Amino acid sequence: MRFFFFFLLSSIVISCKEDPSQKKIDQVPSTDGTTSLDTLVVTLKPTKKLRSFDGLADTTFVRLADFSDGFSYDMRYATNNNFLKEKVYDCAECYTRVKTAKVLIAANKVFKKKGVRIKFFDCYRPNSVQYKMWKIVPNPQYVANPKKGSIHNKGGAVDITLETLDGEELDMGTDFDFFGKKAYHDMTELPQEILDNRILLKETMEAHGFWSVRTEWWHYNYGKASNEKVANFKWPCNEEL
């Protein structure tokens, strides 16, 4: 009987170690310091396994959260909290082309070494959404004409800020989509902390092949994706960020 007990206990422990990402053994000691079989709890720990870029063409559209868990998201156009004052995405997702995703992950590794990470406001934008935005605000100063499209529509532009690893946004001087001189990169009449935060964002992104827009501290285009065609790929809404 004693042999059967230890065989059973060993079998449970071994089977639970086969996939450590899925199962965890919690042994709850009794009051006398021993651990009995009926206090052995197997807790399932479902974890999402990150995908690899292996075999994917650089032009493929991918969901960034499937390839890295190191980012933060506040997808404003999936809410009413944006300059349009209207929700234009069916659900909150961040997609880019593979070539853009790779350099975003690389840039984020540099940021994390400095105690911050990228937080996304917008990523790839289907051209149909560009038409929605143009209908609300038909002004090329604020919204790219959908007939021509923007680099957002090509999967090569992102709107971002930085936040600490604890989730506190760095002060950039204005909110996302603030249209005024205070949001310009060449606005220097700001507190030094804000200027330093913007410089950190800009210099790191540019070091990874992105270029900025003078009037928007949050907007970055990946140069190698700027020649892609305007796309209207639409993502499923079954797994929001």
Side-chain angles (χ1 to χ4, degrees):
M1 187 67 179
R2 182 177 297 175
F3 173 80
F4 175 76
F5 169 80
F6 284 107
F7 175 79
L8 178 61
L9 180 59
S10 299
S11 299
I12 293 174
V13 174
I14 291 172
S15 65
C16 291
K17 286 184 176 180
E18 289 177 352
D19 187 359
S21 67
Q22 297 296 321
K23 298 180 180 180
K24 178 183 177 182
I25 303 299
D26 293 323
Q27 291 186 327
V28 184
S30 63
T31 55
D32 62 0
T34 63
T35 302
S36 61
L37 184 61
D38 56 3
T39 62
L40 184 65
V41 180
V42 179
T43 306
L44 292 180
K45 296 286 187 180
T47 57
K48 184 174 180 180
K49 185 176 180 180
L50 294 176
R51 294 186 58 190
S52 167
F53 291 116
D54 292 347
L56 295 177
D58 278 349
T59 55
T60 303
F61 282 103
V62 293
R63 181 177 182 265
L64 195 56
D66 290 335
F67 296 83
S68 173
D69 56 7
F71 298 108
S72 179
Y73 303 89
D74 178 14
M75 308 304 290
R76 293 288 187 88
Y77 297 125
T79 73
N80 293 322
N81 183 22
N82 56 66
F83 82 102
L84 301 168
K85 306 301 180 184
E86 188 172 330
K87 176 181 176 180
V88 291
Y89 287 137
D90 292 333
C91 60
E93 288 290 3
C94 178
Y95 276 76
T96 70
R97 293 191 191 269
V98 166
K99 65 175 75 176
T100 308
K102 288 178 178 179
V103 289
L104 285 168
I105 291 172
N108 205 41
K109 289 180 179 179
V110 175
F111 283 128
K112 290 179 77 173
K113 290 179 180 179
K114 299 179 180 181
V116 295
R117 64 188 173 194
I118 295 174
K119 182 174 186 176
F120 291 93
F121 296 124
D122 197 24
C123 303
Y124 159 71
R125 183 188 305 154
N127 196 230
S128 58
V129 173
Q130 194 73 30
Y131 272 95
K132 287 183 182 180
M133 296 174 71
W134 182 256
K135 185 176 181 179
I136 299 168
V137 181
N139 186 334
Q141 185 176 353
Y142 305 113
V143 178
N145 190 320
K147 291 183 179 180
K148 181 180 179 181
S150 76
I151 299 184
H152 275 293
N153 306 139
K154 300 178 179 182
V158 289
D159 294 331
I160 59 176
T161 190
L162 295 174
E163 69 174 21
T164 67
L165 300 182
D166 294 325
E168 182 179 349
E169 282 191 24
L170 271 59
D171 189 353
M172 295 294 181
T174 76
D175 194 7
F176 164 61
D177 269 358
F178 174 87
F179 297 109
K181 291 185 178 180
K182 196 175 179 181
Y184 290 12
H185 280 288
D186 53 10
M187 168 56 73
T188 58
E189 297 177 7
L190 295 168
Q192 190 60 46
E193 178 186 359
I194 294 172
L195 296 176
D196 290 343
N197 291 340
R198 290 187 182 185
I199 289 171
L200 172 62
L201 178 61
K202 186 173 184 288
E203 290 185 349
T204 305
M205 294 300 288
E206 288 180 347
H208 286 82
F210 288 85
W211 51 275
S212 60
V213 174
R214 184 180 70 87
T215 58
E216 302 175 357
W217 61 257
W218 55 83
H219 182 98
Y220 286 89
N221 298 314
Y222 184 52
K224 293 184 179 180
S226 61
N227 293 326
E228 297 296 336
K229 293 181 179 180
V230 170
N232 197 38
F233 159 75
K234 299 177 184 178
W235 55 78
C237 285
N238 56 356
E239 192 173 12
E240 294 194 13
L241 293 168

